[in-house]
Amino acid sequence: MLTLAAVSLVALTLAPDDYLARCPEPVLSPVRAAGRVARLPGRGVVTSVEGGVLGATLCAYENHEVIEVRLEVRPAPRGLRVGAVLERGRALGRAAVTLDGVSPSRFFARHPHLFDPHGEPVLVVVDVEAHQARRFERGVPTGAWEVGRGQGEGVKARRGDLKTPRGLYFVTHKSTGPFTGAFAGYYGGHWVKLNYPNAADARRGLEQGWLSVAAAAEVERAWWRRELTAQGTRLGGGIGFHGWVGPWRGDVEGFGLSWGCVVLHPQDVADFYAVVPIGAAVVLR
């Protein structure tokens, strides 16, 4: 359990997070069919009913982003008007359905890693530029901390750029040491490792010629299984959460502290370590 004394931003502990609030029932899986009766794959709002075609806007979580999904149903179900809310699982009748202008099967082939952060047993959402990390249990806020980031400005692209990545990752390892080497003290006695790079990072590496097709595919498979991904490529690795060698003040020395990791205050890191298990989902955004 978190104690109030251990949370550096107590006022944020029960604050909502816009990342979760923006999409309460996201698109998750292909439109299911019972016979020819399609069912809505996520919650949506009707935006148009014209020419026998119903248009609606749905949402989904992909990597660290909330994306908009355009649904069209023809013929339009009767009795629906602009502004009506369509609940997930609603029967759409004997209708042709498209998502973003393509068939559901093609849409989900293009977006194979949609997920629902509300259902995660433990989720950590880090707003990197706002220097805030929040913990949730199945969508319910349970803790918050002030955090630092990498020394480099912007989004991590490659090994050695000192930037913190953005994306969906999973906790794969935890350690309280002993740590060795010249920078051992900077762990603050705690290390929570993430499986950066993920599938989106691997696609970038493939486009840059840093990864082969086979290597990128293996990163994607390991990441989605919540396992450690390849750490030795030009994309870099070794990203996670840790403490610091001593007290720090972001408003004095700045929040760019690490070589790309998320940094906690020394008084917070042990409690964070205790409540973020292996397998937990982490969104850096």
Side-chain angles (χ1 to χ4, degrees), residues 76-81 84 90:
R78 295 180 179 179
L80 290 175
R81 297 182 178 180
R90 177 192 173 101

Side-chain angles (χ1 to χ4, degrees), residues 52-69:
V53 180
L54 178 142
T57 299
L58 286 66
C59 57
Y61 289 96
E62 186 171 47
N63 203 15
H64 61 298
E65 298 178 329
V66 182
I67 63 173
E68 185 177 287
V69 180

Side-chain angles (χ1 to χ4, degrees), residues 27-259:
V27 172
L28 285 176
S29 59
V31 175
R32 300 182 299 276
R36 293 181 58 192
V37 180
R39 294 186 177 275
L40 197 69
R43 187 180 185 185
V45 177
V46 177
T47 55
S48 64
V49 183
E50 298 177 359
V53 180
L54 178 142
T57 299
L58 286 66
C59 57
Y61 289 96
E62 186 171 47
N63 203 15
H64 61 298
E65 298 178 329
V66 182
I67 63 173
E68 185 177 287
V69 180
R70 173 70 178 175
L71 170 79
E72 286 194 353
V73 181
R74 65 179 70 208
R78 295 180 179 179
L80 290 175
R81 297 182 178 180
V82 172
V85 175
L86 302 172
E87 300 295 342
R88 179 193 288 161
R90 177 192 173 101
L92 297 176
R94 298 178 181 274
V97 177
T98 63
L99 296 171
D100 282 352
V102 299
S103 68
S105 60
R106 181 169 295 183
F107 173 85
F108 287 102
R110 294 177 179 176
H111 304 276
H113 302 302
L114 303 181
F115 85 115
D116 185 359
H118 305 85
E120 290 290 330
V122 175
L123 168 73
V124 177
V125 179
V126 180
D127 190 329
V128 176
E129 296 304 325
H131 323 301
Q132 298 171 2
R134 290 185 174 93
R135 180 185 184 274
F136 298 85
E137 292 184 14
R138 301 195 185 280
V140 178
T142 55
W145 303 265
E146 182 178 62
V147 295
R149 55 169 176 78
Q151 297 170 26
E153 297 287 343
V155 180
K156 186 170 187 62
R158 60 180 298 166
R159 178 177 298 279
D161 63 11
L162 305 184
K163 300 176 182 180
T164 300
R166 305 294 192 274
L168 167 65
Y169 305 98
F170 303 99
V171 175
T172 60
H173 296 82
K174 296 173 62 177
S175 177
T176 54
F179 303 104
T180 60
F183 300 101
Y186 286 85
Y187 286 93
H190 299 81
W191 172 234
V192 178
K193 186 176 179 63
L194 303 178
N195 62 350
Y196 170 89
N198 68 13
D201 302 313
R203 286 194 296 273
R204 186 179 72 253
L206 182 62
E207 292 168 358
Q208 294 286 342
W210 299 344
L211 296 181
S212 67
V213 172
E218 180 51 36
V219 167
E220 179 178 3
R221 284 192 294 268
W223 166 70
W224 198 238
R225 292 195 299 259
R226 307 194 182 208
E227 298 171 356
L228 188 63
T229 54
Q231 298 292 284
T233 74
R234 291 179 67 181
L235 292 168
I239 297 296
F241 296 83
H242 55 75
W244 200 240
V245 69
W248 56 271
R249 286 186 57 184
D251 61 341
V252 175
E253 63 257 46
F255 290 91
L257 301 171
S258 73
W259 288 2

